[in-house]
C-alpha cells in the first residue's frame, strides 16, 4: 500500500502538480497585472469593515479566521520541519515562491467561490469549487468528483494528520499516551462540529487571532534577540535553494530538485492556494464591499500571513537553533520542539505542545467545515450524510493519534493532489470570468466608488444571491 501511494505521489508531485501550480500561479499573476503586489495594502485596508455580515452568511473576518484555522496548523509547525529535514533550508525559499505566486491563485478561486455561491435549503450561503464547477462550467459530475476528494481529504485524512501532530507533541513534552490524546481531542472537536458551520466560524474568530499573535510574539522576540544571525540564515536559505552549497560535491541538481519538491508540497499543504479548500469558507461570507472580488483580496491576505509570516518564523527558529544539524534522527513536530527548547530553554517543548494543540485543533474543525459544505453539495439525504461524516471525522482523529506519521502525510499529499488538479483545471477554464470581475471591482475602486457587483453586467452569470 505504501509503495502504491509513493508511486502516485511521485507522478502527481514530480511530473504534474509542481509545474501546474507554478504555471497557473504565474498565469494569474500576469492576468491580474500582479495584483498581489499592486494591491498589497488594499488587502489590509479591507479588514476595517470585515466584521459585517447578515443572517445568511458569516462575516469576511470570520471567513478569513476559518481559512486561517485550516491553514495555520501542522503545516506551520510539523510540515516546515519535514521540509527542512528532507529538502534542507533551500526548501523555504521555494515555499516563499509558491506562496507569492499562489496569492494570485487564491484571489481567483475565492472570487469565483463568491461569484457562484448559493443559498442552501436552510437559507445559508454555500459555495466552493464544486459549486463553481457545476454552475460556472456546467459540469456537475466533476463537481461531485471534487466534493468526494475534498470530503476524503479534509473530512478524514487531513484530520488524522492534525491529531497525529498533537499526539506526538504531547507525548514528547508531557509523556502522555497518544490514544488518550486522540480520545480527548475527538470529544472536544465533536462538541464543536456538531454545532455546524456558523458555530465553527465563531470559534475560529475567537481562537485564531489569539494563537497566531501568541506564536508570532515569541518568534519575533527570538529573532530580535538573535538579530545578528538573521542575515546568515537568509543567505543560507537562498544558497541552498539553488544548490550553491552542494555544487562542489556534484549533487547540485538533486539538491535543488529536493528543495523545490519539499518547499512546494509543504507550502501548498500550509497555505492551500489553488487547492480549492479556502473557497468553501470564503463563499459563506457576506463580503464588504458587496462584490465577489473583495473576498478574493481578504483570502489572498490569508496566504501571506500563513506562509510568509508564520511558516517563515518556524523555519528561522529551527535553522537558528542548530537542531537541524545535530538531530538527524528526529523530524516533524519533535524537531520543532527540540529547536525551540535549544533557543529558549526546556519550556520551549511545552510551548510548542500547547501551540500545536490549538493550531491543529482549529484546523480540524475548519477542515470539517469544508467537508460539510461539500456534503451538502451532494444534496440527496445530506442530513444523514452529515451525521456519518461527523462520526467518521471523530474516528479519524483517534486513528491519526496512534498511527505512524510518514504514511499519514503521504496519504494527505495524495488526496491533496487529486483535488488540487481538478480545482486548477476549473479555475483556468473560468479565468476570463474571474478577470472581468476583478477588472469591474478595480475600475469602481479607482473611480472612488464603493465597489458593488451587478449580475446584469454579466449576462452569462445567473445567480439569485447577487441580485
Amino acid at each position: 500500500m505504501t509503495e502504491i501511494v509513493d508511486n502516485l505521489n511521485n507522478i502527481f508531485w514530480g511530473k504534474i502538480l509542481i509545474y501546474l501550480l507554478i504555471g497557473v500561479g504565474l498565469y494569474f499573476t500576469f492576468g491580474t497585472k500582479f495584483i498581489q503586489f499592486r494591491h498589497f495594502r488594499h488587502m489590509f485596508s479591507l479588514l476595517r469593515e470585515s466584521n459585517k455580515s447578515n443572517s445568511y452568511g458569516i462575516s469576511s473576518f470570520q471567513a478569513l479566521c476559518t481559512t486561517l484555522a485550516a491553514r495555520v496548523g501542522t503545516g506551520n509547525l510539523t510540515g516546515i520541519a519535514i521540509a527542512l529535514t528532507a529538502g534542507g533550508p533551500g526548501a523555504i525559499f521555494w515555499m516563499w515562491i509558491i506562496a507569492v505566486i499562489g496569492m494570485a491563485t487564491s484571489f481567483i478561486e475565492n472570487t469565483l467561490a463568491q461569484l457562484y455561491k448559493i443559498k442552501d435549503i436552510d437559507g445559508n450561503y454555500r459555495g466552493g469549487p464544486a459549486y463553481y464547477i457545476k454552475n460556472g462550467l456546467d459540469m456537475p459530475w466533476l463537481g461531485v468528483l471534487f466534493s468526494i476528494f475534498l470530503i476524503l481529504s479534509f473530512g478524514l485524512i487531513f484530520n488524522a494528520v492534525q491529531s497525529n501532530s498533537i499526539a506526538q507533541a504531547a507525548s514528547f513534552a508531557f509523556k502522555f499516551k497518544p490514544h488518550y490524546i486522540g480520545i480527548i481531542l475527538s470529544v472536544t472537536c465533536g462538541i464543536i462540529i456538531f454545532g455546524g458551520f456558523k458555530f465553527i466560524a465563531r470559534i475560529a474568530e475567537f481562537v485564531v487571532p489569539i494563537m497566531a499573535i501568541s506564536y508570532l510574539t515569541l518568534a519575533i522576540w527570538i529573532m530580535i534577540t538573535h538579530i545578528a544571525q538573521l542575515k546568515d540564515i537568509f543567505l543560507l536559505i537562498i544558497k541552498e535553494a539553488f544548490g550553491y552549497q552542494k555544487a562542489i560535491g556534484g549533487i547540485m541538481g538533486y539538491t535543488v530538485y529536493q528543495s523545490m519538491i519539499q518547499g512546494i508540497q509543504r507550502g501548498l499543504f500550509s497555505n492551500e492556494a489553488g487547492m480549492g479548500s479556502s473557497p468553501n469558507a470564503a463563499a459563506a461570507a457576506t463580503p464588504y464591499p458587496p462584490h465577489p472580488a473583495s473576498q478574493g483580496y481578504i483570502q489572498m491576505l490569508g496566504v501571506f500571513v500563513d506562509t510568509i509570516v508564520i511558516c517563515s518564523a518556524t523555519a528561522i527558529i529551527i535553522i537558528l537553533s542548530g537542531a537541524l544539524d545535530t538531530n538527524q534522527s528526529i523530524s516533524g513536530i519533535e524537531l520543532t520542539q527540540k529547536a525551540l527548547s535549544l533557543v529558549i530553554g526546556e519550556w520551549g517543548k511545552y510551548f510548542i505542545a500547547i501551540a500545536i494543540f490549538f493550531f491543529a485543533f482549529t484546523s480540524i474543525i475548519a477542515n470539517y467545515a469544508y467537508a460539510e459544505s461539500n456534503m451538502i453539495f451532494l444534496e440527496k439525504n445530506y442530513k444523514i450524510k452529515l451525521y456519518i461524516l461527523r462520526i467518521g471525522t471523530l474516528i479519524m482523529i483517534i486513528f491519526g493519534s496512534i498511527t505512524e506519521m510518514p504514511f499519514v502525510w503521504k496519504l494527505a499529499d495524495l488526496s491533496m493532489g487529486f483535488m488540487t488538479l481538478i480545482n486548477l483545471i476549473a479555475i483556468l477554464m473560468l479565468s476570463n470570468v474571474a478577470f472581468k470581475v476583478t477588472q469591474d471591482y478595480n475600475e469602481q475602486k479607482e473611480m472612488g466608488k464603493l465597489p458593488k457587483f451587478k449580475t446584469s453586467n454579466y449576462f452569462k452569470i445567473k445567480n439569485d444571491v447577487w441580485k
Side-chain angles (χ1 to χ4, degrees):
M1 183 65 178
T2 303
E3 186 177 345
I4 295 173
V5 172
D6 282 339
N7 289 336
L8 287 172
N9 273 329
N10 288 336
I11 293 172
F12 266 109
W13 292 104
K15 297 180 173 63
I16 301 175
L17 287 179
I18 186 172
Y19 303 109
L20 190 58
L21 278 165
I22 295 172
V24 169
L26 289 173
Y27 172 67
F28 287 133
T29 295
F30 285 103
T32 58
K33 300 176 183 178
F34 297 88
I35 195 168
Q36 65 269 58
F37 301 106
R38 290 192 304 119
H39 296 159
F40 184 77
R41 291 176 61 186
H42 185 60
M43 295 189 301
F44 293 91
S45 69
L46 289 175
L47 290 176
R48 288 196 299 266
E49 304 287 345
S50 64
N51 61 343
K52 296 183 177 182
S53 64
N54 58 27
S55 59
Y56 307 118
I58 60 179
S59 69
S60 289
F61 185 69
Q62 286 178 324
L64 174 62
C65 287
T66 301
T67 57
L68 279 174
R71 289 177 173 130
V72 181
T74 57
N76 302 83
L77 299 179
T78 305
I80 297 305
I82 291 174
L84 285 168
T85 303
I92 305 306
F93 174 84
W94 299 110
M95 182 190 72
W96 291 336
I97 296 299
I98 200 64
V100 170
I101 64 174
M103 287 172 71
T105 307
S106 181
F107 172 85
I108 294 295
E109 64 180 352
N110 286 288
T111 297
L112 289 170
Q114 269 289 322
L115 182 63
Y116 291 104
K117 69 184 180 183
I118 65 162
K119 285 182 185 175
D120 64 21
I121 61 173
D122 296 320
N124 298 316
Y125 291 147
R126 298 284 182 179
Y131 295 83
Y132 56 68
I133 289 171
K134 177 185 177 182
N135 301 323
L137 296 176
D138 194 25
M139 300 172 69
W141 63 271
L142 189 59
V144 169
L145 192 61
F146 177 88
S147 287
I148 291 171
F149 282 128
L150 186 140
I151 291 167
L152 289 173
S153 302
F154 282 82
L156 302 173
I157 296 174
F158 281 8
N159 287 332
V161 171
Q162 304 293 348
S163 66
N164 181 277
S165 289
I166 292 177
Q168 293 295 323
S171 177
F172 181 76
F174 304 109
K175 310 303 179 186
F176 291 159
K177 298 291 185 183
H179 60 278
Y180 291 145
I181 299 299
I183 293 170
I184 294 171
L185 184 62
S186 180
V187 172
T188 307
C189 290
I191 294 171
I192 296 173
I193 67 175
F194 273 90
F197 197 108
K198 287 188 176 180
F199 184 55
I200 291 170
R202 287 197 295 270
I203 296 294
E205 181 184 28
F206 174 74
V207 176
V208 169
I210 295 174
M211 72 179 192
I213 291 171
S214 299
Y215 183 69
L216 286 176
T217 300
L218 176 62
I220 290 169
W221 177 78
I222 290 172
M223 284 186 271
I224 290 173
T225 56
H226 296 79
I227 196 165
Q229 296 168 257
L230 293 184
K231 179 182 176 182
D232 291 335
I233 289 174
F234 283 108
L235 286 174
L236 175 66
I237 289 171
I238 293 170
K239 285 179 180 179
E240 292 230 351
F242 296 96
Y244 295 151
Q245 300 286 88
K246 310 291 183 181
I248 297 176
I251 54 172
M252 177 177 173
Y254 178 77
T255 301
V256 173
Y257 177 76
Q258 283 299 310
S259 292
M260 286 182 67
I261 290 291
Q262 289 300 319
I264 291 173
Q265 275 185 307
R266 299 279 68 83
L268 176 62
F269 186 89
S270 181
N271 66 53
E272 301 180 11
M275 194 190 299
S277 51
S278 61
N280 295 278
T286 305
Y288 190 86
H291 195 288
S294 66
Q295 192 60 29
Y297 279 110
I298 288 285
Q299 293 301 327
M300 190 163 65
L301 175 60
V303 175
F304 175 82
V305 171
D306 169 84
T307 307
I308 305 300
V309 178
I310 300 179
C311 284
S312 297
T314 303
I316 289 170
I317 290 171
I318 293 174
I319 298 171
L320 181 67
S321 70
L324 194 63
D325 302 317
T326 59
N327 293 274
Q328 299 293 332
S329 60
I330 64 172
S331 182
I333 193 63
E334 288 186 24
L335 179 59
T336 307
Q337 287 176 294
K338 184 66 178 178
L340 201 57
S341 297
L342 289 171
V343 176
I344 64 174
E346 188 68 12
W347 68 275
K349 69 179 182 182
Y350 303 115
F351 177 87
I352 288 294
I354 295 169
I356 196 66
F357 175 83
F358 284 104
F359 278 31
F361 166 74
T362 53
S363 288
I364 289 171
I365 61 175
N367 288 347
Y368 165 78
Y370 295 165
E372 179 181 287
S373 283
N374 282 269
M375 190 64 81
I376 290 173
F377 174 81
L378 299 178
E379 294 180 350
K380 189 176 180 181
N381 298 323
Y382 80 79
K383 296 280 188 182
I384 297 173
K385 291 175 181 176
L386 281 182
Y387 184 81
I388 296 171
L389 173 63
R390 288 165 179 167
I391 297 299
T393 298
L394 301 182
I395 291 172
M396 287 301 289
I397 290 171
I398 297 173
F399 169 76
S401 68
I402 59 177
T403 193
E404 291 188 14
M405 184 184 68
F407 183 66
V408 173
W409 276 93
K410 288 173 183 177
L411 281 177
D413 282 337
L414 181 60
S415 59
M416 180 170 63
F418 279 115
M419 58 178 284
T420 302
L421 181 62
I422 294 173
N423 183 59
L424 290 176
I425 292 171
I427 60 177
L428 279 172
M429 295 174 71
L430 289 167
S431 60
N432 286 335
V433 175
F435 291 151
K436 288 178 182 177
V437 173
T438 304
Q439 183 180 4
D440 177 58
Y441 180 94
N442 290 329
E443 285 178 352
Q444 291 186 60
K445 182 170 72 72
E446 288 166 7
M447 292 170 64
K449 297 179 179 180
L450 178 73
K452 295 182 179 179
F453 184 73
K454 296 180 180 179
T455 54
S456 58
N457 296 336
Y458 300 87
F459 300 106
K460 291 184 180 180
I461 297 174
K462 298 177 180 179
N463 190 336
D464 292 336
V465 171
W466 283 104
K467 283 186 179 179

